[in-house]
Amino acid sequence: MGKKANVIILAGFLGSGKTTLLKQLLAYEKEHNHKTAVLMNEIGKVSIDSDSVPEDVPLKELLNGCICCSLSDQLEKQLWGLCKENELDTLIIEATGVAHPIDVLDACLSPYLIDDLQISGIISIMDAPRWLNRESMNVQARMLMLEQVKHADYIVWNKTSGLTEKEKQLLMNDSTRLNEGIPSVLTDFSKVEISQLFSLTVKKRSEHQSVSADKLKVKTFVYSFKGPVNKELFENWLRHVPSSIYRIKGYIQFKNQIHLFQYSYGLPTYEKELMKMPLRLVFIGEDLNPDQLTRGLNEVESESN
């Protein structure tokens, strides 16, 4: 198995400064002789920011849609292509400003990519004046900005030079209130200590262990099956999984048929898979208990045989 590429997800509302931070990340990577690739997502049909990526940096673009909804399948294919075509140290995803960070993370954790990628963290770049005046925005926009703060592993409060000390304190209070323990910084032009962003790197994954470091707000966990299981026993176990699990995806075998399994907001779906795929599930959520999940699925396996 080759080395894994660290994935950094740049989240943040439209115009918050994601591309400005991307340029700094790429300069840092070049200075350290790291092989880096970029995946950029634009809602429109034409890419606006791709010119900011140097020609020697592998780049793929997803246009005319959002990678967390209509383009999620294409994202997996593009990530797979970047991994197979390049031996990467780092892969940076600049999501569209209307993307939910958890959905972007979910799309990155494809069963095809478990052996190629490890999630370093979600960096949310927030337009500070817009955040302070968010009550003037529509409900959907306010909720999205809230989620971008809540699920970040590092918060960049950008465009703060014109703010009062009281307003700056409000930003830091919001960081603590919504996402306690996560580092945040007040800045302009998205200037941050870049090395801090790379300190979020996850621990090396081993079988039946969590793949996230303690610093990550959202945890991931991988479980590998030894063989087929009984569908009724599995679904009975599934009914009791904690609500803190946002997503489950991967491949599971019932009798002689392998299925692509996906679980979101309490609803499971199964799709027959014609190819022989590794039998493993990826879990995404908060406060995951790997030991408890492992015990439960071990019981499903043992009782199936």
Side-chain angles (χ1 to χ4, degrees):
M1 184 187 300
K3 67 178 181 180
K4 294 186 180 184
N6 291 322
V7 179
I8 293 178
I9 299 170
L10 300 182
F13 206 71
L14 301 165
S16 61
K18 295 189 297 296
T19 303
T20 304
L21 180 56
L22 172 64
K23 292 178 182 178
Q24 296 177 61
L25 286 166
L26 291 175
Y28 178 93
E29 288 287 81
K30 183 176 182 179
E31 181 181 340
H32 289 77
N33 297 315
H34 292 164
K35 182 68 173 178
T36 308
V38 174
L39 190 143
M40 303 186 81
N41 179 212
E42 296 277 3
I43 286 293
K45 296 181 179 180
V46 178
S47 176
I48 299 172
D49 299 319
S50 58
D51 290 342
S52 62
V53 179
E55 291 184 0
D56 60 343
V57 174
L59 168 69
K60 289 189 182 294
E61 299 171 276
L62 290 176
L63 305 177
N64 203 26
C66 179
I67 57 179
C68 67
C69 41
S70 61
L71 298 181
S72 60
D73 290 340
Q74 292 185 44
L75 172 61
E76 293 184 11
K77 294 176 183 177
Q78 297 283 35
L79 290 173
W80 189 89
L82 284 170
C83 290
K84 300 307 176 185
E85 295 164 10
N86 310 275
E87 189 172 345
L88 299 174
D89 295 298
T90 306
L91 199 160
I92 304 172
I93 300 174
E94 182 184 335
T96 174
V98 297
H100 191 299
I102 294 298
D103 290 332
V104 179
L105 176 64
D106 175 53
C108 293
L109 290 169
S110 163
Y112 294 105
L113 300 168
I114 291 174
D115 296 326
D116 298 303
L117 302 177
Q118 60 182 7
I119 308 300
S120 291
I122 298 170
I123 316 301
S124 287
I125 303 94
M126 307 304 297
D127 184 321
R130 177 178 281 167
W131 171 266
L132 292 171
N133 293 289
R134 61 191 181 279
E135 293 303 320
S136 64
M137 304 172 69
N138 62 50
V139 174
Q140 290 83 359
R142 293 203 305 269
M143 290 302 296
L144 177 59
M145 292 178 72
L146 181 71
E147 293 296 300
Q148 290 169 340
V149 172
K150 180 181 176 183
H151 294 292
D153 299 302
Y154 193 102
I155 303 170
V156 179
W157 293 111
N158 200 25
K159 308 179 184 180
T160 60
S161 60
L163 301 181
T164 65
E165 290 303 313
K166 181 179 179 180
E167 288 172 325
K168 291 178 181 179
Q169 187 59 52
L170 283 174
L171 295 174
M172 301 308 288
N173 290 345
D174 285 341
S175 294
T176 303
R177 176 173 59 87
L178 297 170
N179 202 339
E180 187 176 3
I182 296 301
S184 60
V185 62
L186 302 171
T187 190
D188 290 284
F189 304 105
S190 298
K191 287 193 175 296
V192 299
E193 179 54 56
I194 298 298
S195 61
Q196 293 181 6
L197 306 186
F198 287 93
S199 68
L200 299 171
T201 303
V202 299
K203 299 174 183 176
K204 183 178 180 181
R205 177 178 65 84
S206 60
E207 201 69 15
H208 295 285
Q209 284 188 340
S210 168
V211 301
S212 287
D214 291 339
K215 291 182 180 179
L216 291 180
K217 183 73 173 179
V218 178
K219 308 292 185 181
T220 61
F221 165 74
V222 179
Y223 182 89
S224 294
F225 293 95
K226 300 178 181 67
V229 297
N230 179 280
K231 185 176 182 180
E232 184 178 346
L233 289 172
F234 174 74
E235 291 192 331
N236 183 58
W237 170 84
L238 191 65
R239 293 187 190 99
H240 298 91
V241 299
S243 59
S244 57
I245 293 178
Y246 301 143
R247 307 279 197 277
I248 309 173
K249 62 193 301 185
Y251 294 96
I252 188 169
Q253 183 175 347
F254 304 127
K255 295 183 178 180
N256 297 320
Q257 179 62 58
I258 295 177
H259 295 265
L260 170 62
F261 172 76
Q262 300 195 63
Y263 172 93
S264 180
Y265 300 106
L267 299 175
T269 61
Y270 303 92
E271 182 180 336
K272 289 183 179 180
E273 175 59 53
L274 301 178
M275 298 177 61
K276 184 175 177 60
M277 303 299 296
L279 303 177
R280 55 193 179 188
L281 297 179
V282 181
F283 294 77
I284 308 172
E286 293 188 40
D287 301 320
L288 294 184
N289 187 327
D291 292 336
Q292 183 180 28
L293 292 172
T294 297
R295 284 195 301 270
L297 289 170
N298 281 345
E299 289 179 10
V300 171
E301 288 201 84
S302 62
E303 293 176 17
S304 298
N305 299 318

